[in-house]
Amino acid sequence: MTAPLPEGVSAEAMNSAIERFRRIVGDEWVFMDENLSPYDDPYTISNNEDDYKAYAAIAPHSTEQVQEIVRVANEFGVPLWPVSRGKNFAYGGAAPVMSGTIVLDLNRMNRILEVNEEFGYALVEPGVSYFDLYNYIQEKGLKLWIDVPDPGWGSVIGNALDHGIGYTPYGDHFAMQCGMEVVLPNAELIRTGMGAMPGNNTWQLFKYGFGPYVDGMFSQSNFGIVTKMGIWLMPEPAGYRPYLITFENEDDIETVTERLRPLKVSGVIQNGATVRSLVLDAAITKTKSAYYDGDGPIPPSVAKTMMADLDLGMWNFCGALYGPPPLMDTLWTAIRDSFADIPGVKFYFPEDRRHKFDLLLHRAETMRGVPKLTEFNFLNWDGGGGHVGFSPVSPITGADAIKQYYMVSNRVREYGFDYMGLLAIGWRDLHHVTVIVYDKKNPDERKKLDDLFNVLVDEAAAEGYGEYRTHIKYMDRIAKTYSWNNNSLWKMHETIKDALDPKGILAPGKSGIWPKNRRQS
């Protein structure tokens, strides 16, 4: 179904723009009507079928074509919604915030422009997936590791720009970017950092260049279209040893988190480690029906059965050691001794696991940078095939961890869902990522999920917990929680938006940032 025209754009202007787009990219790379299904929200939450619908989609293959498209969009006032690969499914996929927007699909711009083994970096275009980069490195025999999120089909650039995380020591993806090429909303092309100097040879080596550091402006924003980006890669370590530590009680999360903080801050825990809940881990290998056929979330007795069957705990800490064997031995001693006094704790290496398909064996691949899609098995847990992420951030403290856990899990279960959460340990922060699996085809369940999500947002904000990314449906809601000093930060965002994009053509509503011509409506 064709979306309605965006407010303020006439049918004549839209048709003229699309005709010009066809001349730029070719007829076969302009998609409309029945060919637009890949640009729908794959895990829709809204019960209004007109929400988040693209009017059309365009797939350029070069930066020059992107610039031409942006010029035409400015001429006719047609809004564009850039996506790298559109695989960020739990957050809206390729669908735009504002119906009637034209999706600018950068998937065809999939060139790996350089991989430098000596300095450990890659320069890529937005259509390059983790699978693409991994396979390239393997084919060339380079001694480099990439860092991957759970699904490997996403864009290296897109995930970094959305503040995605992974599981090696290079797990903070935006922190590992170095140097961008960006098409601004007026179609001008810039390079950030050292790339602004003609003939410079440190574009992917030194982030800052001279003057203000602006790269962060283009993450989670609508201030520009990133067409190239450098990403730092990890040199292959001298040794690698993944491990799993299980904890059998819900309340253990308080002690575990308190013990993790000094280990992470001091560098004893080297990687982006995660503490994962029982159902999330069980859903990698099993379905709910294998243990429980009743309504609502699983009862405690079933949880105990699952733990015994799968050799898991109520909480499961996946981590890895990297480096020469003596270093790994020393680090492991410190980690093991930090948790050894917790009643019921168990320690595992891959050779200790008895199941052929197992949580640790799956995470062992991810923590050495092998892209996979295995994590999506959790969609089969209870049928329905949809999921959304709720992701508040807190300090790495036991008090915050247990407070967030009960605050979120009690609400999730109250609304009839199983709690499937993980606590990702960052440099100084704790990301509490709760996966809510639901029946995407059931309007009543979508409504229930929407009600739950809004309650979670309000309760988290009341405790000072802000989300670090969100589904397109909730971008305005989350932006409004960042309201210190009369919304001064978002007022600054709007000032920047109006200066760079006076016609408001680039991604209206992205991250709650609206252009002046659409701000009131």
Side-chain angles (χ1 to χ4, degrees):
M1 182 182 67
T2 300
L5 286 163
E7 183 181 342
V9 179
S10 68
E12 181 181 8
M14 179 64 81
N15 291 336
S16 297
I18 287 176
E19 179 56 36
R20 293 272 293 278
F21 294 148
R22 292 185 189 279
R23 292 183 216 164
I24 294 169
V25 300
D27 284 348
E28 69 271 33
W29 300 114
V30 175
F31 307 101
M32 298 185 69
D33 302 322
E34 68 274 6
N35 296 317
L36 281 176
S37 58
Y39 303 99
D40 289 340
D41 179 1
Y43 304 147
T44 183
I45 302 170
S46 175
N47 281 328
N48 183 348
E49 63 180 13
D50 291 332
D51 285 346
Y52 317 114
K53 294 290 185 182
Y55 190 89
I58 320 163
H61 72 79
S62 69
T63 297
E64 292 74 22
Q65 286 190 350
V66 172
Q67 290 179 275
E68 290 183 63
I69 289 166
V70 170
R71 291 188 188 102
V72 171
N74 272 281
E75 182 179 342
F76 293 99
V78 172
L80 301 173
W81 181 265
V83 298
S84 298
R85 288 180 54 81
K87 297 295 188 181
N88 201 7
F89 279 7
Y91 299 98
V97 166
M98 187 179 78
S99 285
T101 304
I102 292 182
V103 173
L104 183 61
D105 182 354
L106 306 179
N107 189 42
R108 292 176 65 211
M109 295 175 60
N110 59 0
R111 288 170 282 267
I112 298 171
L113 301 167
E114 182 185 3
V115 177
N116 188 301
E117 186 175 30
E118 181 181 10
F119 288 105
Y121 69 79
L123 179 63
V124 299
E125 292 184 327
V128 174
S129 72
Y130 289 96
F131 283 118
D132 293 334
L133 185 54
Y134 176 80
N135 290 336
Y136 179 96
I137 289 171
Q138 296 306 303
E139 289 166 6
K140 299 292 184 183
L142 305 177
K143 301 297 184 183
L144 294 170
W145 286 9
I146 66 174
D147 188 278
V148 299
D150 287 314
W153 63 3
S155 162
V156 174
I157 288 181
N159 188 269
L161 293 180
D162 209 30
H163 304 163
I165 58 174
Y167 303 98
T168 76
Y170 282 46
D172 184 342
H173 292 169
F174 191 73
M176 296 301 143
Q177 75 80 28
C178 187
M180 297 178 179
E181 179 183 270
V182 184
V183 176
L184 296 179
N186 65 356
E188 186 173 359
L189 190 66
I190 67 166
R191 288 188 173 179
T192 66
M194 302 303 290
M197 174 180 283
N200 180 263
N201 58 6
T202 52
W203 188 22
Q204 273 67 62
L205 304 183
F206 180 61
K207 289 172 174 283
Y208 307 117
F210 179 76
Y213 177 66
V214 300
D215 295 49
M217 277 179 43
F218 302 108
S219 70
Q220 289 194 352
S221 82
N222 48 16
F223 300 152
I225 303 166
V226 178
T227 52
K228 294 181 180 66
M229 190 180 79
I231 191 81
W232 288 342
L233 306 176
M234 178 178 169
E236 184 177 295
Y240 170 64
R241 192 182 305 166
Y243 60 86
L244 170 67
I245 309 175
T246 67
F247 306 93
E248 64 180 21
N249 299 305
E250 278 187 301
D251 289 349
D252 287 341
I253 193 60
E254 181 172 15
T255 302
V256 169
T257 304
E258 199 63 28
R259 305 277 178 89
L260 278 171
R261 183 183 62 257
L263 295 173
K264 179 61 179 175
V265 172
S266 65
V268 174
I269 291 176
Q270 301 163 287
N271 69 318
T274 55
V275 187
R276 300 163 58 93
S277 66
L278 171 64
V279 176
L280 180 63
D281 286 342
I284 301 297
T285 60
K286 295 287 186 177
T287 61
K288 186 174 184 175
S289 60
Y291 298 101
Y292 183 63
D293 60 3
D295 295 328
I298 63 167
S301 59
V302 172
K304 295 293 184 183
T305 300
M306 291 166 54
M307 290 165 59
D309 182 44
L310 299 172
D311 295 331
L312 294 174
M314 286 300 296
W315 295 102
N316 304 284
F317 172 44
C318 290
L321 307 164
Y322 305 83
L327 173 61
M328 292 193 294
D329 291 342
T330 300
L331 294 175
W332 175 244
T333 298
I335 294 168
R336 182 194 59 208
D337 290 354
S338 295
F339 299 108
D341 65 335
I342 298 176
V345 66
K346 294 179 182 177
F347 301 92
Y348 298 94
F349 291 112
E351 59 270 21
D352 302 322
R353 304 298 286 174
R354 61 187 174 94
H355 300 282
K356 285 186 177 180
F357 186 43
D358 176 82
L359 169 69
L360 178 55
L361 302 182
H362 159 58
R363 302 308 303 178
E365 293 284 277
T366 308
M367 291 187 293
R368 67 180 183 92
V370 179
K372 304 169 76 70
L373 293 175
T374 311
E375 193 78 7
F376 279 144
N377 287 354
F378 67 66
L379 289 173
N380 301 318
W381 174 248
D382 200 17
H387 80 285
V388 69
F390 177 71
S391 312
V393 179
S394 75
I396 312 173
T397 70
D400 283 295
I402 197 163
K403 181 168 140 184
Q404 275 213 30
Y405 167 61
Y406 281 117
M407 181 177 71
V408 174
S409 65
N410 287 344
R411 284 296 191 193
V412 168
R413 291 173 179 136
E414 175 190 336
Y415 279 78
F417 302 99
D418 282 304
Y419 171 75
M420 304 169 74
L422 66 87
L423 281 70
I425 312 301
W427 299 110
R428 299 290 190 281
D429 55 83
L430 189 70
H431 286 52
H432 181 194
V433 182
T434 301
V435 175
I436 307 169
V437 175
Y438 67 102
D439 185 350
K440 65 181 182 181
K441 297 181 179 179
N442 185 327
D444 292 336
E445 188 138 316
R446 292 200 299 264
K447 175 63 167 61
K448 183 171 63 173
L449 172 63
D450 186 40
D451 292 343
L452 165 62
F453 203 96
N454 281 290
V455 169
L456 292 175
V457 170
D458 289 341
E459 292 184 345
E463 298 294 333
Y465 300 132
E467 283 201 88
Y468 81 104
R469 68 201 292 197
T470 195
H471 187 277
I472 52 174
K473 180 176 174 60
Y474 303 108
M475 285 183 171
D476 286 337
R477 289 277 284 113
I478 301 304
K480 288 175 182 176
T481 66
Y482 286 77
S483 59
W484 182 83
N485 193 23
N486 194 26
N487 304 296
S488 57
L489 179 60
W490 252 255
K491 289 177 181 177
M492 186 192 76
H493 292 332
E494 291 169 354
T495 301
I496 295 170
K497 179 66 174 172
D498 294 343
L500 292 177
D501 188 10
K503 294 190 176 181
I505 61 105
L506 197 59
K510 171 72 174 176
S511 297
I513 304 169
W514 291 89
K516 187 175 183 178
N517 61 354
R518 300 187 183 280
R519 207 163 287 151
Q520 296 305 315
S521 60

